[in-house]
Every structure is written in structure tokens, then in C-alpha cells.
Amino acid sequence: MKGFQIFNRASTAITNRATPSKLLIVLTAAGGAFLAISDDSPFRSLTAGESGNDGGKKKKLVVLGTGWGGTTFLKNLKTSAYDVHVVSPHNYFTFTPLLPSVTNGTVEARSIVEPIRNIVRNKPYNVEFKEAECYRIDPVNKKVYCRSIQNLGHGENEFALDYDVLVIAMGARVNTFNTPGVEEHAHFLKEVDDAQKLRRSIIDCYERASLPTISDEEKKRIMHFVVVGGGPTGVEYAAELHDFASQDLASLYPSLKDYLKITLLEAGNHILPMFHKKVTDFANEKFQKDQIDVKTGSMVVKVSDKDISTKNRATGQIEAIPYGVVLWSTGIATRPVIAEFMEKIGQAGKRVMATDEWLKVQGCDDVYALGDCASIAQRKALEDAAAIMKTVDKNNAGAVDVGDFKEFVKDIYERYPQVRKYLEKNKLKNFESLLRNAQGDSQKKIDIEALKKALSEVDSQVSFLPPTAQVASQQGKYLAACFNKAGRCEMKPEGPFRFQESGGRYPFHPFSYKHSGQFAPLGGEQAAVQFPGDWVSIGHASQGLWYTVYASKLVTWRTKVLVVSDWFRRFTFGRDSSHL
Ligand SMILES: Cc1cc2nc3c(=O)[nH]c(=O)nc-3n(C[C@H](O)[C@H](O)[C@H](O)COP(=O)(O)OP(=O)(O)OC[C@H]3O[C@@H](n4cnc5c(N)ncnc54)[C@H](O)[C@@H]3O)c2cc1C
């Protein structure tokens, strides 16, 4: 009884205390601390921000989505100036980079999620969470319409929320390219549910193929696992599946060893197209050794319950391949609710919702968007040539000296980052060199035509940011920082000069993405990592780096401990193949 009381008290202490203290209790109770406790947990409670204003009526800030963008925004929001309402069909945040590890039990599903209420607890702002999906955004009346994911009675499922400021961070849906049969028969890997279903389906296949009533031909079909899409997720999944099959399932189902086949279908010419050729070549060689059949130039045209039909892009030949499980991983597309919203704000027909460089949605007020659901439409420098000229030519002389641009060069670089990229690419020392090249004769002044000539090529360096967690989380952090310092920056703007408008400065610096590299786990405890500047490292050491980086990036101490112990469990006992 006494023991039970002690246990009870310890458990209450663990539940009620702040996260680092919980960790201390857990580790001490476990008899030995193996992780150093740091005070810089990303989910520590924060002090009120400088623009907080509890005196007047607070503005209502609605955040749609609790993925990488939405959660990082909420985590970094430090102002108490808003009443915050969060809407998402998932009441948790998912660490998506570890979803492939959930598909085979290397990591358990609950280890990579964190309840959103835990994350926003102890924040300086009031926050309410609604587990629902937004199905319509009305920018005119500033309302979002939502539907609970619980199946409640008639009239109880739906509700509307007013907003003063809206942050859209709803991510994207899987792109099926309208390929017939994909929605019905293929697996996706976007959510935790998807990973769990996939894990069950693989074990289903092994158990079904083990039944005495199954013919040899049917066994071959059932044991054929097809991955569609040779991007990082498809490649990682194929590698994870191979490891699961060879390291764990082969000894448990020895009679099925020879029936197993893994095929990776890619419509383009090579897998991992966003990586350096060294990585692609290594992945191809490794997969060949692992007997993963990589078929490039193979476009899937139809999926039925038992066959997947591919078209060879070179020959046009159609082939129907029998399969047991197919994973569809071919990229992302706009969600219907966003597409409908885009129509309302004059963005119909665009591939993805456009924001300006400050993440404000173009065509409506007080709406911001980040992550996979939006893309920054970078302002073109050439379009602003006349405005830049007018600013520099203070005396309206019609032409200026190259040196007259000096005062605005920093603003030009910040407002049009493509200019600096162009200079780097063409090995030009600075903006002055660009102008001098366009000027031709060093005696001549720069007029609008010369400036247009100088800027004529720079916009070729405008690039779109990739749909990654890195981008979404940096945007979330950036936007929260803007909200936090809004009051200060209104008084003392910190952004670049407004060339197109009547002068003055933008309140904030525009969003600027810092790429810190990309991993491609390739199985067999090997990975490729590509750092900025195309510096590539491949092999076991990179896999070690992968473990370290991902453990450190996990969003709470709880998930860090759970994932590390899952890895430890997997190394010790192997992956669990129970048919749950
Ligand atoms: C398997 C996998 C592995 C990946 N690995 C990496 C990696 O290693 N590195 C990397 O940088 N990126 C990786 N990514 C990409 C990364 O996960 C995404 O780019 C990132 O999640 C985008 O963040 P987001 O906030 O825009 O969207 P998400 O993180 O997808 O979040 C969207 C949120 O919106 C919610 N939502 C959906 N519909 C609605 C609605 N109607 N109303 C309200 N809320 C809604 C969702 O529940 C979710 O909470 C991976 C993705 C996957 C699927």
C-alpha cells in the first residue's frame, strides 16, 4: 500500500511539474540519468512580449493547422495582445521526418507526436483549441467555417469563428495527379494514421501469404511491395521496408523470403532528383545490392485492387504489375478549402497560394500563410526599375552616377534577394559592378534604360522554397517574431526601403530562408547528407549524424526520450511484427 502511495505521489509530481523537472524525476527513478537536462526546451513557458496589451480589447487571432508551421508559430508567439484560437483536425503535432520509421515499428507512433495543448500550455496569450477542420474561409466577413471531426448530431458538428487576424498553416494534400484508383487502393504517408495503416498492411500481407490456401502466384503478388515516387520519402520508405523485411521478418517468416519483392517506380529519369548526383548514384547502387528494383521513366497510369499499371515514358508501353501493397508518395497539391479561398481573393488558377515576402496572403488583409499551403511570390526587381530610379534620382535629373545607388544598395539586396544571388552566380563583386557592366562607357550616367539593362537578368535567380519542415518552421518562427515586435516596429521600422510606394520603410525585414542541409536515409544504417554548397557525405557516419540531428530536433524532451528509447529497443530486440 505504502509502495502504491509513493508511486502515486511520484506519478502526480510527474504529471504536474514543468517538463524539465518531469524528465529529472523520470530519469532519477530509472536509476541513472543518461541525458543532460537543458533549460532551453522549446516548449518552456515564455514571458509576455513587448507588444502585449491586456488593457484594451484583445484582437482575435485564429490559427489553422498544428503542423510544422502552425506549431512553431504558436511556440514562438510571446505577445499577450491576442486571444488565440487554434483549429486543427489533429490535437497534436507530428514530427513528420520520423513517419517512415513508424511504418515498420522502428519508432512507435506516440513517440513522434506531442499534444498541442501541452505545447501551448503556460503561454502568455489566452488560447483555445478546437479539434475540427476548416472547410471555408470568408475573407470579406473575416470568418472561418469549421466542422468537428467527431460525428456529433445534426447542427452540432459545424461552427464559425470570427477573426481579426488569420494564420493559415494547413499544409497540403497528397497529389494523386487524378490517377484512377490511387485514392481507393494506394497507401499514403502524410499522417500518423497513414503510417500505422501501412504497418498493419505489411504484416497483413505476410500473414495472408503464410496461409496454406494461398497459391504460389498469389503469394508472389501479395509479397510485392510497390513504392511510387523516388523523392526522399519514397526512397526512405523503400529502404526502411527492406531493413524491416531482411533484419526482422526474414527470420520470422523464412518460407516467404524468396517471394519478397520491393519495387520503386519513378516517372523521372532518376531517383532523389533534388540531391547531388553522387547521392543518386550511391542510392541506385545500394538499392541494386539490396534487390530493390528501381524503375525510372515509369509513370503510373492506373491502380486497381491487385495491379498497378505503368507506362514506360520512352516506349509508351503499358505494363500491369501485380502488387500486395502500394505506397503513393509523389508530392503535394493544394487542399480544396485553400483552392476555394484562392478563387475568392483573385488567385484562381495559381498552382499554390501566393504570399508576399512578409508571408501576408496577396489579395486580402490580415491573413498570413506559411508552410506547404503557400509560396512566396518574390517581387521582381525589373518591375520596380522605374521606382528604384525615382528614389535614387532625388533631383529628377533623369540620370544618376553609379555612386548614387550606394545609399540604397543594402535595401535593394534585402528587397530583391535575387540580385545578390545573380552577382554571386556571375562572380560580380557588387551592385556597382552590375551597373558598370550595363553602363558600358564609364563616363555615362545611369538612366532608366541602363538600370533596366542591369536588372534584366537578375530575376532569373528567383526561386521557390521547397515544401519542407525546415521552411515551414522557419516561417512560423519568423511570423511569430513579427507579431511579437509589431508595436516596436511600427514606431521604428526595421525593413527595407519601400521603392514602389511613397517612401519610408517596411516595418519588418522580409522572410529569409536559411537552408541547413538535407538527409536521405538509405537503409542498412547508411544515409546521405547534403549540406549547403552541395557538400555531400554518405555512409554510416552520416546515419550517425541523422540520429543525432533528429533526436535534437524532436520538439519536446518527452518525445526525445521516447524516440531514443525506441531506437535502443529496436537495436536490442528488433522491430515488433505483431499484427495489431
Ligand atoms: C513522410 C514525410 C517525411 C518528411 N520528412 C521531412 C524531412 O526529413 N525534412 C523536412 O524538412 N521535411 C520533411 N517532410 C515535409 C514536411 O513534413 C512538410 O513540409 C511540413 O510538414 C509542412 O509543414 P506545414 O505546417 O505547412 O504542414 P503540416 O505539417 O502538414 O501541417 C498541416 C496542419 O494542418 C492541419 N489541417 C489539415 N487540414 C486542415 C483543415 N481543413 N483545417 C484546419 N487544419 C487543417 C493538419 O492537421 C496539420 O496539423 C516530410 C513529410 C512527410 C510526409
Side-chain angles (χ1 to χ4, degrees), residues 54-170:
D54 286 343
K57 190 174 178 296
K58 290 187 182 189
K59 284 191 170 183
K60 193 165 168 185
L61 166 63
V62 174
V63 179
L64 301 176
T66 53
W68 278 98
T71 301
T72 317
F73 172 77
L74 290 166
K75 200 176 90 182
N76 286 281
L77 192 66
K78 296 180 192 172
T79 169
S80 58
Y82 297 92
D83 272 331
V84 182
H85 294 254
V86 183
V87 178
S88 175
H90 298 108
N91 76 349
Y92 54 83
F93 163 80
T94 306
F95 190 83
T96 49
L98 288 181
L99 274 178
S101 303
V102 173
T103 60
N104 57 20
T106 302
V107 167
E108 289 302 327
R110 283 188 183 268
S111 305
I112 66 159
V113 299
E114 187 66 39
I116 197 70
R117 285 185 169 86
N118 241 359
I119 292 169
V120 295
R121 201 165 54 155
N122 302 329
K123 290 289 174 201
Y125 49 85
N126 300 330
V127 59
E128 272 185 40
F129 174 79
K130 315 262 185 305
E131 193 187 49
E133 58 174 18
C134 166
Y135 64 90
R136 197 185 319 140
I137 302 168
D138 176 355
V140 178
N141 299 304
K142 292 185 139 187
K143 265 183 198 302
V144 290
Y145 293 86
C146 309
R147 190 183 294 130
S148 159
I149 61 154
Q150 313 264 351
N151 206 3
L152 304 172
H154 183 65
E156 290 174 345
N157 252 4
E158 300 192 354
F159 60 93
L161 281 177
D162 296 317
Y163 66 80
D164 294 306
V165 184
L166 178 66
V167 172
I168 308 177
M170 278 195 261

Side-chain angles (χ1 to χ4, degrees), residues 174 187-189 227-235 327-331:
V174 174
H187 280 266
F188 300 128
L189 188 48
V227 181
V228 184
T233 302
V235 166
L327 169 68
W328 188 269
S329 172
T330 58

